Amino acid sequence: MGDSWNDRRVVVTGMGVITPLGHSVSELWDNLLQSKCAIDRIALFDPSNHATQIAAEVKNFDPSPAFANPKELRRTDRYAQFAVYAAYNALLDSGLDLSKENLDEIGVYIGSGIGGLATTEEQHTVLLQKGPNRMSPFVIPMLILNMASGLVSMYYKLRGPNVATCTACASSSHAIGEAWQTIKIGDAKVMVAGGSEATITPFGMGGFCAMKAMSTRNNEPKKASRPFDKDRDGFVMGEGSGIVVLEELEHAKGRGAKIYGEICGYGKTADANHITVPDPEGGGAARCIAMALRHASLRTEDINYINAHGTSTPLGDISETKAIKTVFKEHAKKLAVSSTKGATGHTLGAAGAIELIICLKAIETNIVPPTLNLDSPDPECDLDYVPHTPREMKVDAILNNSFGFGGHNACIAAKRFLG
């Protein structure tokens, strides 16, 4: 291994998820290829007084395999349970024998847009109804959004760099990008990175309803999330976690690790436009995509597939389409672009990591997952969005876009590992 930034290459050797569409990577991928949709009427609470009564929930979740101590499980918010579970499976998948590793060289970057919202909501009710003396002594460590990253490092004694990113719906893409850079500059050999979110609560849904950001197609939940379709009326909330194990290439080769793909570029920019509305012309997103390509030393024509942020909001989908056209010019029409949020819902701070894992499966299988419910494309969204059904095609290099409230943009570039 050389000593410069460019000499260090970073590969993905482990993947773990918990999503509304599957509790494992294989289940998630199989359901995506069957064009299944996880969106339904909310069951976690009674949503009848909410304008939006549908979401993509993680059902029948059993986090216990990832928790040695049932008492710890009870003291952990749902969002952190998701993260610990996904990290457990990602590390298992990686085949890393931690007893043989220098744990000072293994770090954790796990982001979240909101953190322990259910705990905040429940304990605020306790405060109002029973007073401050009845609140849980664990309320603060349960609700702070860095605890997912902290717990994973504690459970596995990972003493390397540990950071939690919070950039709304770009949180997990920023976590993975920053973890990539951490390995590139030589501050770690391995990073456990991704994001987690659990915001399907009365408060979370109520807040987004008040913004009028979500679909109100309550009678047709499977058709509510429709990225790039002219009849879209907002996003649909999802929840879950995606975690990847990033590893310096020589370290991975030294232990004979399976390699899913190589992370080769990362872009991060700001729209500096509005607290919730993206740059109408997609300027910030375009600069972000261009930065990822530049870091990756990839030409626009090298990219086969983009997993779009594509949330099914009226303004966001148009802005992202413009950004892709700005960067790719005539090649834009030759790209396969799809949004998997029609199937999974929008998992907010976990979306980027889950969707990067989907991209790596596309590279592995040479299959691109579809955009569901794209029945009548918006005239302003005129790219190839792979409607309805998956497509078999060569996938050697991908981009994964994530954009968040506050004007935060993130883009990850990854490619097939060729040695």
Side-chain angles (χ1 to χ4, degrees):
M1 185 179 74
D3 292 326
S4 76
W5 167 282
N6 288 324
D7 285 335
R8 294 188 184 92
R9 296 168 64 188
V10 181
V11 294
V12 178
T13 58
M15 306 192 296
V17 298
I18 176 75
T19 76
L21 206 61
H23 294 197
S24 67
V25 173
S26 60
E27 186 183 10
L28 167 65
W29 185 244
D30 288 347
N31 285 331
L32 280 173
L33 297 192
Q34 292 175 51
S35 300
K36 290 185 177 180
C37 175
I39 299 166
D40 212 333
R41 184 175 175 82
I42 292 170
L44 286 166
F45 66 93
D46 179 5
S48 54
N49 63 347
H50 285 67
T52 295
Q53 300 169 10
I54 56 176
E57 297 170 315
V58 172
K59 296 179 178 175
N60 305 312
F61 175 51
D62 178 14
S64 57
F67 286 83
N69 187 337
K71 188 182 290 186
E72 288 178 346
L73 180 56
R74 292 194 298 273
R75 295 171 176 173
T76 306
D77 187 89
R78 181 173 173 90
Y79 98 97
Q81 291 179 9
F82 286 159
V84 171
Y85 180 88
Y88 167 82
N89 284 296
L91 284 164
L92 203 63
D93 183 48
S94 75
L96 266 171
D97 184 350
L98 295 177
S99 68
K100 296 179 180 177
E101 297 292 335
N102 179 355
L103 302 185
D104 294 348
E105 297 182 333
I106 303 180
V108 185
Y109 274 36
I110 297 176
S112 181
I114 297 176
L117 189 60
T119 295
T120 305
E121 200 167 330
E122 290 161 7
Q123 290 298 305
H124 186 250
T125 300
V126 171
L127 171 67
L128 295 180
Q129 294 182 353
K130 300 180 180 180
N133 293 333
R134 298 295 299 276
M135 292 174 68
S136 167
F138 298 99
V139 59
I140 297 302
M142 285 177 73
L143 69 87
I144 52 180
L145 64 80
N146 66 301
M147 195 49 66
S149 197
L151 285 172
V152 171
S153 74
M154 287 178 235
Y155 287 171
Y156 298 102
K157 309 301 180 189
L158 308 178
R159 298 184 296 264
N162 191 289
V163 173
T165 52
C166 179
T167 47
C169 305
S171 295
S172 58
S173 285
H174 278 133
I176 292 168
E178 298 298 316
W180 173 76
Q181 288 187 334
T182 298
I183 295 174
K184 292 284 279 183
I185 64 175
D187 285 345
K189 294 287 180 64
V190 179
M191 294 294 295
V192 180
S196 191
E197 206 79 83
T199 53
I200 304 174
T201 71
F203 186 92
M205 293 295 294
F208 280 106
C209 283
M211 292 176 62
K212 303 191 185 308
M214 294 192 297
S215 172
T216 55
R217 200 183 289 254
N218 297 318
N219 295 327
E220 295 182 299
K222 305 296 185 196
K223 296 182 179 180
S225 180
R226 39 197 322 113
F228 308 110
D229 188 86
K230 71 177 178 63
D231 296 320
R232 66 193 183 280
D233 69 329
F235 78 90
V236 177
M237 186 86 78
E239 61 177 354
S241 177
I243 303 288
V244 292
V245 175
L246 303 181
E247 198 163 343
E248 194 276 321
L249 175 59
E250 297 306 318
H251 184 276
K253 286 165 69 174
R255 66 181 187 88
K258 177 180 178 179
I259 294 174
Y260 289 103
E262 180 175 358
I263 306 298
C264 51
Y266 167 47
K268 49 183 175 179
T269 64
D271 280 357
N273 178 65
H274 186 271
I275 55 173
T276 59
V277 177
D279 176 347
E281 297 304 313
R287 293 192 308 276
C288 185
I289 292 168
M291 185 186 294
L293 288 170
R294 187 173 73 250
H295 279 161
S297 297
L298 290 172
R299 302 166 301 167
T300 53
E301 54 265 37
D302 293 328
I303 301 297
N304 311 114
Y305 170 59
I306 297 177
N307 188 291
H309 187 58
T311 57
S312 184
T313 56
L315 297 177
D317 291 3
I318 293 172
S319 174
E320 184 171 12
T321 299
K322 288 181 177 178
I324 292 169
K325 287 173 160 182
T326 296
V327 176
F328 286 87
K329 298 182 172 61
E330 64 276 1
H331 187 64
K333 298 288 181 121
K334 300 175 184 176
L335 287 164
V337 181
S338 70
S339 170
T340 43
K341 291 181 177 71
T344 65
H346 185 6
T347 56
L348 307 185
I354 291 169
E355 289 157 8
L356 176 64
I357 289 168
I358 290 168
C359 288
L360 291 166
K361 290 298 292 183
I363 289 172
E364 181 183 53
T365 61
N366 286 309
I367 303 174
V368 168
T371 303
L372 299 189
N373 300 315
L374 185 51
D375 300 326
S376 304
D378 185 326
E380 292 191 71
C381 299
D382 56 353
L383 300 178
D384 177 3
Y385 301 112
V386 194
H388 305 304
T389 55
R391 179 182 303 164
E392 292 188 26
M393 57 174 278
K394 188 68 171 171
V395 184
D396 287 324
I398 65 88
L399 292 177
N400 181 38
N401 289 340
S402 300
F403 312 128
F405 285 172
H408 299 282
N409 304 310
C411 180
I412 304 287
K415 63 183 180 182
R416 184 181 303 279
F417 176 67
L418 298 173

